[in-house]
Amino acid sequence: MTKKAMHASQNLGQKKANEVQTKKASQKSDFTAKLLEKILKRITPSEEEKKKELAVVKGIIKRISSIKGKHIKAMLCGSLARDTHLRGEQDFDIFVLFDKELPRGEFEQLGLKIGIEALKGYEHWLEYSEHPYVKGIVDGYEVEIVPCYKVSKACLLKSSVDRSPFHARFIQKNIRPEQKKEVRLLKAFMKGIGCYGADIASEGFSGYLAELLILKYGTFLDCVKAASQWTPGLKIALNEAHLKKCKATSTLVFPDPTDPKRNVASAVSLEQFSRFVFACKKFLERPSEKFFLGAKQKIPTQISLLLKERHVIAVCLRFERDEAKDTVLGQMKRLKNLISQELEKNEFKVFASSIANTDKDVYCFLELERNSLGKLAKVIGPPVFDEKNVKAFLKKHKRVVSGPRIENDRIVVVEKRKKLYAREFVNDLILFLSKQGKEPIKSMLKKAVILEKRGLVKRCKKPEFAHELARFLIGRERFL
Amino acid sequence: MTKKAMHASQNLGQKKANEVQTKKASQKSDFTAKLLEKILKRITPSEEEKKKELAVVKGIIKRISSIKGKHIKAMLCGSLARDTHLRGEQDFDIFVLFDKELPRGEFEQLGLKIGIEALKGYEHWLEYSEHPYVKGIVDGYEVEIVPCYKVSKACLLKSSVDRSPFHARFIQKNIRPEQKKEVRLLKAFMKGIGCYGADIASEGFSGYLAELLILKYGTFLDCVKAASQWTPGLKIALNEAHLKKCKATSTLVFPDPTDPKRNVASAVSLEQFSRFVFACKKFLERPSEKFFLGAKQKIPTQISLLLKERHVIAVCLRFERDEAKDTVLGQMKRLKNLISQELEKNEFKVFASSIANTDKDVYCFLELERNSLGKLAKVIGPPVFDEKNVKAFLKKHKRVVSGPRIENDRIVVVEKRKKLYAREFVNDLILFLSKQGKEPIKSMLKKAVILEKRGLVKRCKKPEFAHELARFLIGRERFL
């Protein structure tokens, strides 16, 4: 072959390789487009469903308008109002606006009164976030009736819930109709990988943040492409000028366009940020259904097999009628951290910890390397030069297994441990918190049940419990 | 009672209390004096014993003088030469002096030749510290024949053993006859509490340092009083001017009066320093025999009771005929540290480790909190943002018990451990060192025996082993 011919052949080879690559890429993009279409069909409420939802909301708003009182008006906020909600996301936020001059006490009192009256005849109860509000179930939908102050600008608000109307109006005004499906895809993706929700138990992305991300990047796919390259400490905004106004420093900063001083992403933890970024990378590598709507993991029928050679403790609490679930979940998160700290402080290794909840119960799962400590412990005392403390140490540690002896400059002894089992440490902490803790979890802790080994297997007769425990034991990211 | 009478009565009370205290103090000092007398009787060699010892030494020196060669003369160094040795301390250091111009190779060769000839007819073998020398047993005494260069000043020496003649002459010249018994008491005290000996295995106080301490403080008791107030980093000297010349920084600095740049106490570890200081405090509080000559600890007949619920591993090595014991003990110390490090690195907790030796064997004892790890281990991988390493990690950790999942910003998995038992880790390390290590321990490691549980109990049929193991298990400072 001549040099020229070789060159030509190489060029031809290169060209073919390029063609193959281009073809592959286009096949993949076809596949992705079809996948997203399929997902969209599954997650978008039908026109009929929407109609029914809006009818329920209208009914309640009408009721509220007919109630005599100082409220100005009632409006639907949340994703239903923006038509960006997912099928099955059946919680409606109805905000009741009051004049901003109304004293706080009266505001709270009137707000509750309206909520209770509006839900009369339906199951309803009190919840509490920044201030109390009423939640109820109307025709199978969860309805929240939240009082808020009407202010002219978001930066003037008197209570954090006062923002919601601003968010609703902002998104309604700025989102293009074809972007609503992109928001739905992004929310479903976030939900599927487990990073949706800005509450204290989730520490993830709020619906409003998902909407802003679509406004920023245009489409679901462009958002995923951008996010796959994110690193912690990222600052992004719809308007670069907002970044100067927002002083927040956290894993992700996205200034609220209705009040740029506030960071919409302040709730996003490093873990949820990392989860989102990693899932975006993985999705681009190999797009699949499992990223959406919590791809089901196969739950083995024999949980005892999964439990074999593992050391799991479950703290089980039961919700009581009018306990605020969100509040309890936040408190459970704190409980989980306290238990983990207590165990680690006492030389246990905590492999994993997690909170799960079903309709009636909430669980804190912990997996430990071992469920008991070594029978003996080495206690390292003060330096021998510290006469006073050495005397006290020797007096305190008289019943020793070995020692006292000098190691480096310190007195040490080996002695029997008083508490050996992880369960004892957990039990004592729960006992303490059931006396010192905060309501509503405090009352629930008094009836807490701690399960281990056979206790866990027994409780697995409840399918919901078995499902949550199995998911904890498998401990795999849902998209991996 | 009038005020005056009350005052008088109080004064009388105070006076009486003072008298009681003075009486108590004088009783204590009487007790101490009697105790020291008693100890002295036990630790001082009789005139007859000394005569016999010196006769053996003279015989050997005579032999050396009669050998034809380039050596200038032979002299006795060490404590026998200063008459500060303890009864039963039967190792004699005989130094053979050579001209300082003699080339090193010839010096070593001639030194060995003389040693071997001088000990002809007696059991003898080679040892090696800075250079090789000959050791043998003559009439039950250990005799070392060490070649050295004759130099005019200690600071001009060519080899570290060349100092010995200077030390011998310095002490002989400066010690008052009545101080010899003070040196003996101090040495016996140091030996009794376990901090005598400057070799690498002991890391304690040399005989020369004990002598200097008596020159510094006058008597045993004054030395103990002073030392009870020592703190680490202490610098003391016979002549304050020496401190300026000595740049050493260690736990204890005592410049050598024959060469002030050198720190006589450089071998003293923080632990041995602390042990000495603490023992001095305790001795002043309650003087007793147990501080001297290693007060015997009661060894229970049932070692298995002591071993109950404890996790002990013993590595046993056998000395072979011409192995240098001091060298092996130094290497054993290193082995002990390597094993401890290896175990700690692999998440075992080492409660205690120690070396013991009998006539024929040397042991490394280790006590662990547990003898096995948990069956599962949590492996924390790279941050999810580090794409390349995450890929490698996921590829490497495919057979997992739980995970992969994201925790904070990292990929983690829980998987089965490959090695569980402390014994396996010790075994593998010994195997490695028996191939890569240094002689003479390298050969001994090839025949190492590792004992645990029943193996330990069985080996306790050897009383020497049982004694050492029991001492390790009791793990109490001998003076406490």
Side-chain angles (χ1 to χ4, degrees):
Chain A
M1 216 189 285
T2 64
K3 248 192 176 174
K4 210 176 166 184
M6 243 174 77
H7 198 72
S9 143
Q10 275 175 354
N11 266 355
L12 207 70
Q14 188 55 49
K15 213 174 156 191
K16 254 196 181 154
N18 284 348
E19 270 170 20
V20 167
Q21 227 167 9
T22 314
K23 204 177 161 194
K24 265 191 185 168
S26 111
Q27 276 174 347
K28 194 173 179 180
S29 112
D30 279 358
F31 175 81
T32 308
K34 271 181 200 155
L35 173 69
L36 297 186
E37 272 315 311
K38 196 173 148 193
I39 299 294
L40 260 182
K41 266 185 200 151
R42 219 157 63 192
I43 63 175
T44 312
S46 68
E47 288 308 314
E48 207 172 323
E49 283 164 334
K50 283 192 215 167
K51 251 185 218 165
K52 202 183 149 198
E53 288 158 9
L54 287 172
V56 168
V57 170
K58 262 188 197 164
I60 298 165
I61 291 185
K62 212 172 156 188
R63 262 195 174 195
I64 295 174
S65 306
S66 71
I67 297 169
K68 276 181 193 162
K70 294 190 175 176
H71 52 292
I72 298 163
K73 66 164 180 173
M75 69 181 280
L76 174 68
C77 289
S79 50
L80 177 59
R82 285 103 114 167
D83 190 23
T84 60
H85 64 305
L86 299 179
R87 170 180 283 169
E89 213 175 50
Q90 296 169 323
D91 43 329
F92 309 147
D93 306 334
I94 296 171
F95 280 70
V96 182
L97 279 67
F98 287 90
D99 187 275
K100 65 178 196 294
E101 306 302 338
L102 195 69
R104 180 75 183 219
E106 204 179 339
F107 162 81
E108 289 190 3
Q109 201 195 326
L110 290 176
L112 283 184
K113 194 180 146 250
I114 285 175
I116 292 167
E117 251 183 86
L119 293 174
K120 207 190 270 176
Y122 300 105
E123 183 183 344
H124 65 273
W125 62 91
L126 295 192
E127 296 240 354
Y128 197 98
S129 76
E130 192 179 320
H131 54 247
Y133 61 95
V134 183
K135 200 166 175 173
I137 294 178
V138 179
D139 296 351
Y141 301 106
E142 275 197 357
V143 179
E144 291 181 1
I145 299 184
V146 187
C148 76
Y149 283 109
K150 185 174 187 258
V151 287
S152 56
K153 273 187 183 176
C155 58
L156 297 173
L157 49 86
K158 298 182 78 173
S159 148
S160 66
V161 295
D162 302 350
R163 287 181 209 283
S164 294
F166 288 90
H167 295 168
R169 276 188 294 260
F170 181 82
I171 297 296
Q172 280 163 341
K173 217 169 112 182
N174 288 283
I175 201 161
R176 279 177 284 128
E178 70 274 19
Q179 284 183 319
K180 290 178 179 177
K181 69 180 203 302
E182 306 294 336
V183 171
R184 284 199 171 94
L185 284 170
L186 184 57
K187 281 186 183 178
F189 181 84
M190 288 170 164
K191 217 171 175 179
I193 63 171
C195 69
Y196 186 59
D199 54 288
I200 186 173
S202 312
E203 293 186 335
F205 295 72
S206 64
Y208 182 50
L209 181 53
E211 290 162 339
L212 291 178
L213 285 170
I214 293 300
L215 290 187
K216 164 91 186 161
Y217 294 112
T219 67
F220 165 71
L221 219 50
D222 284 334
C223 174
V224 166
K225 278 178 193 159
S228 73
Q229 300 305 316
W230 285 359
T231 51
L234 181 78
K235 295 182 182 196
I236 43 176
L238 286 185
N239 178 336
E240 291 301 307
H242 290 172
L243 285 176
K244 277 194 186 150
K245 291 188 188 156
C246 186
K247 303 284 173 228
T249 53
S250 48
T251 306
L252 175 62
V253 174
F254 198 131
D256 186 344
T258 73
D259 180 7
K261 273 186 279 179
R262 189 184 157 257
N263 176 19
V264 180
S266 63
V268 178
S269 66
L270 176 61
E271 182 165 314
Q272 291 294 34
F273 180 82
S274 306
R275 183 165 286 122
F276 182 61
V277 172
F278 193 59
C280 287
K281 281 184 209 279
K282 286 282 156 187
F283 181 79
L284 294 175
E285 272 176 29
R286 189 173 299 200
S288 94
E289 279 191 26
K290 66 183 174 184
F291 289 88
F292 296 94
L293 281 177
K296 297 276 185 309
Q297 285 181 332
K298 265 189 204 161
I299 302 299
T301 45
Q302 275 280 53
I303 300 268
S304 53
L305 274 181
L306 269 185
L307 273 168
K308 214 182 146 197
E309 298 189 343
R310 297 173 75 172
H311 305 288
V312 176
I313 294 182
V315 178
C316 311
L317 304 184
R318 171 140 295 207
F319 286 117
E320 292 185 14
R321 192 28 55 241
D322 43 11
E323 237 112 47
K325 262 194 185 180
D326 284 355
T327 312
V328 169
L329 288 176
Q331 288 179 330
M332 276 304 273
K333 173 135 193 161
R334 208 178 143 252
L335 175 71
K336 188 197 78 171
N337 293 342
L338 284 175
I339 297 177
S340 300
Q341 278 163 28
E342 176 75 6
L343 290 171
E344 294 270 6
K345 209 173 71 192
N346 285 290
E347 303 181 39
F348 287 98
K349 270 189 209 153
V350 179
F351 277 175
S353 64
S354 178
I355 292 163
N357 74 304
T358 62
D359 193 30
K360 287 184 188 157
D361 300 289
V362 54
Y363 313 106
C364 171
F365 291 125
L366 295 141
E367 178 169 6
L368 310 178
E369 188 184 27
R370 305 173 182 269
N371 56 2
S372 70
L373 298 169
K375 285 186 179 152
L376 306 181
K378 179 172 177 175
V379 189
I380 296 173
V384 299
F385 309 102
D386 177 354
E387 240 163 303
K388 203 180 130 203
N389 284 314
V390 166
K391 273 221 168 88
F393 181 84
L394 289 176
K395 207 172 164 189
K396 195 177 161 199
H397 299 275
K398 279 200 163 158
R399 299 196 58 184
V400 298
V401 171
S402 172
R405 61 175 170 267
I406 295 167
E407 273 184 29
N408 293 314
D409 57 344
R410 286 174 184 273
I411 289 278
V412 307
V413 298
V414 172
E415 61 182 13
K416 282 198 182 176
R417 284 191 200 274
K418 282 176 194 98
K419 259 197 264 181
L420 282 186
Y421 295 97
R423 193 201 173 105
E424 299 176 83
F425 290 92
V426 175
N427 201 51
D428 290 358
L429 181 66
I430 286 180
L431 200 69
F432 174 79
L433 293 172
S434 73
K435 286 171 190 158
Q436 312 286 329
K438 273 190 189 170
E439 292 295 357
I441 204 180
K442 188 177 161 184
S443 311
M444 289 166 70
L445 282 171
K446 288 197 174 110
K447 298 175 197 162
V449 177
I450 301 176
L451 299 175
E452 263 188 309
K453 306 266 174 206
R454 257 178 284 171
L456 289 171
V457 176
K458 254 190 179 168
R459 172 75 65 118
C460 281
K461 281 180 194 152
K462 291 190 179 194
E464 277 182 309
F465 180 83
H467 181 83
E468 293 297 341
L469 178 58
R471 239 179 63 177
F472 174 71
L473 290 172
I474 293 164
R476 196 190 304 136
E477 289 297 329
R478 287 179 259 177
F479 57 91
L480 278 179
Chain B
M1 215 188 281
T2 64
K3 249 193 175 177
K4 210 175 165 184
M6 244 174 76
H7 198 73
S9 145
Q10 275 176 352
N11 265 355
L12 208 70
Q14 187 56 47
K15 214 174 155 189
K16 253 196 181 154
N18 285 347
E19 270 170 20
V20 168
Q21 225 167 12
T22 315
K23 203 177 162 194
K24 266 194 184 164
S26 110
Q27 275 174 347
K28 192 170 178 182
S29 110
D30 280 357
F31 174 81
T32 307
K34 271 182 199 156
L35 172 70
L36 296 185
E37 272 314 314
K38 197 173 148 194
I39 299 294
L40 260 181
K41 266 185 201 153
R42 219 157 63 189
I43 64 175
T44 314
S46 69
E47 288 308 313
E48 208 170 323
E49 283 164 332
K50 283 191 215 168
K51 251 186 218 164
K52 203 184 147 200
E53 289 158 6
L54 287 171
V56 169
V57 170
K58 261 189 196 161
I60 298 165
I61 290 184
K62 211 170 159 192
R63 260 194 173 193
I64 295 173
S65 307
S66 73
I67 297 169
K68 274 181 191 161
K70 295 189 174 177
H71 53 290
I72 299 164
K73 68 165 179 173
M75 70 181 278
L76 175 67
C77 289
S79 52
L80 177 60
R82 285 103 115 164
D83 191 24
T84 60
H85 64 305
L86 299 180
R87 170 179 286 169
E89 211 174 54
Q90 297 172 325
D91 45 328
F92 308 149
D93 305 335
I94 295 171
F95 280 70
V96 184
L97 279 67
F98 287 91
D99 187 274
K100 65 177 194 294
E101 307 301 339
L102 194 67
R104 179 76 182 220
E106 204 178 341
F107 161 82
E108 289 191 3
Q109 199 194 328
L110 290 175
L112 282 184
K113 194 179 145 253
I114 286 172
I116 292 167
E117 253 183 81
L119 293 174
K120 206 190 272 177
Y122 301 105
E123 184 184 342
H124 64 275
W125 61 90
L126 296 193
E127 295 237 357
Y128 197 99
S129 76
E130 191 178 320
H131 53 249
Y133 62 94
V134 183
K135 199 164 175 175
I137 294 179
V138 179
D139 296 351
Y141 301 106
E142 274 197 0
V143 179
E144 290 181 2
I145 299 185
V146 186
C148 75
Y149 283 109
K150 184 175 188 262
V151 287
S152 57
K153 274 186 184 176
C155 58
L156 297 171
L157 51 87
K158 299 183 76 173
S159 147
S160 66
V161 296
D162 302 351
R163 288 180 209 282
S164 293
F166 288 91
H167 294 168
R169 277 188 296 259
F170 181 83
I171 298 295
Q172 280 162 342
K173 219 169 110 183
N174 289 283
I175 201 162
R176 280 176 284 128
E178 69 275 18
Q179 283 182 317
K180 290 178 179 177
K181 70 179 202 303
E182 306 293 338
V183 171
R184 283 199 171 93
L185 284 171
L186 184 57
K187 281 186 183 180
F189 181 84
M190 288 171 164
K191 219 172 173 175
I193 62 170
C195 69
Y196 186 57
D199 53 287
I200 186 174
S202 311
E203 293 185 334
F205 295 72
S206 66
Y208 181 49
L209 180 52
E211 290 162 340
L212 293 178
L213 285 172
I214 293 299
L215 291 186
K216 164 90 188 164
Y217 294 111
T219 67
F220 165 72
L221 220 47
D222 284 334
C223 174
V224 166
K225 278 177 193 159
S228 73
Q229 301 304 317
W230 286 358
T231 50
L234 181 79
K235 295 182 182 199
I236 44 176
L238 286 184
N239 178 335
E240 291 300 308
H242 290 172
L243 284 177
K244 278 194 186 151
K245 291 188 189 160
C246 186
K247 303 283 172 229
T249 52
S250 46
T251 305
L252 175 63
V253 174
F254 199 131
D256 187 344
T258 74
D259 180 6
K261 272 185 282 180
R262 187 185 159 260
N263 176 20
V264 181
S266 63
V268 178
S269 66
L270 176 62
E271 180 164 316
Q272 291 294 35
F273 180 82
S274 306
R275 182 165 285 123
F276 183 60
V277 172
F278 193 60
C280 287
K281 282 185 208 278
K282 286 281 156 189
F283 182 79
L284 294 175
E285 269 175 30
R286 188 175 299 200
S288 97
E289 279 191 26
K290 65 182 174 182
F291 291 87
F292 297 93
L293 282 178
K296 298 275 187 306
Q297 285 181 329
K298 265 190 204 160
I299 302 299
T301 44
Q302 277 280 56
I303 300 267
S304 52
L305 274 182
L306 269 185
L307 273 169
K308 214 181 146 199
E309 299 190 342
R310 297 174 74 173
H311 304 289
V312 176
I313 294 182
V315 179
C316 310
L317 304 183
R318 170 140 294 205
F319 286 117
E320 293 187 12
R321 188 33 48 246
D322 44 11
E323 237 112 46
K325 261 195 187 182
D326 285 355
T327 312
V328 170
L329 287 177
Q331 288 178 328
M332 277 303 272
K333 173 137 193 156
R334 210 181 141 250
L335 175 71
K336 188 197 78 168
N337 293 342
L338 284 176
I339 296 178
S340 301
Q341 277 162 29
E342 177 74 6
L343 289 172
E344 294 270 6
K345 209 174 70 193
N346 285 288
E347 302 179 40
F348 287 99
K349 269 190 209 152
V350 180
F351 278 175
S353 64
S354 177
I355 292 162
N357 73 303
T358 62
D359 194 29
K360 286 182 186 157
D361 300 288
V362 55
Y363 312 105
C364 172
F365 291 124
L366 296 142
E367 177 169 7
L368 310 179
E369 189 185 28
R370 305 174 182 267
N371 55 5
S372 70
L373 298 169
K375 284 185 179 152
L376 306 181
K378 178 172 176 174
V379 190
I380 295 174
V384 298
F385 310 102
D386 178 352
E387 242 165 299
K388 202 180 132 202
N389 285 313
V390 166
K391 273 220 168 86
F393 180 84
L394 289 177
K395 205 171 165 188
K396 195 176 161 201
H397 298 276
K398 280 201 164 158
R399 298 197 57 184
V400 299
V401 171
S402 172
R405 63 174 167 264
I406 295 168
E407 274 185 27
N408 292 314
D409 57 345
R410 287 172 183 274
I411 288 280
V412 308
V413 298
V414 171
E415 60 183 15
K416 281 198 180 176
R417 285 190 198 273
K418 283 179 194 96
K419 261 198 262 180
L420 281 186
Y421 295 97
R423 194 200 175 108
E424 297 176 84
F425 290 92
V426 175
N427 202 51
D428 289 358
L429 182 68
I430 285 180
L431 199 71
F432 174 81
L433 292 172
S434 73
K435 285 171 188 158
Q436 312 287 330
K438 274 190 189 170
E439 291 295 357
I441 204 179
K442 187 178 161 181
S443 313
M444 289 166 68
L445 283 172
K446 289 197 173 108
K447 298 175 197 161
V449 177
I450 301 176
L451 300 175
E452 263 187 307
K453 305 267 172 202
R454 257 177 284 172
L456 289 171
V457 175
K458 252 187 179 171
R459 172 76 65 116
C460 281
K461 281 179 193 153
K462 292 190 177 192
E464 276 182 310
F465 180 83
H467 181 83
E468 293 296 342
L469 178 59
R471 239 178 62 178
F472 174 70
L473 289 173
I474 293 164
R476 196 189 306 133
E477 288 297 329
R478 287 178 258 178
F479 56 90
L480 278 180

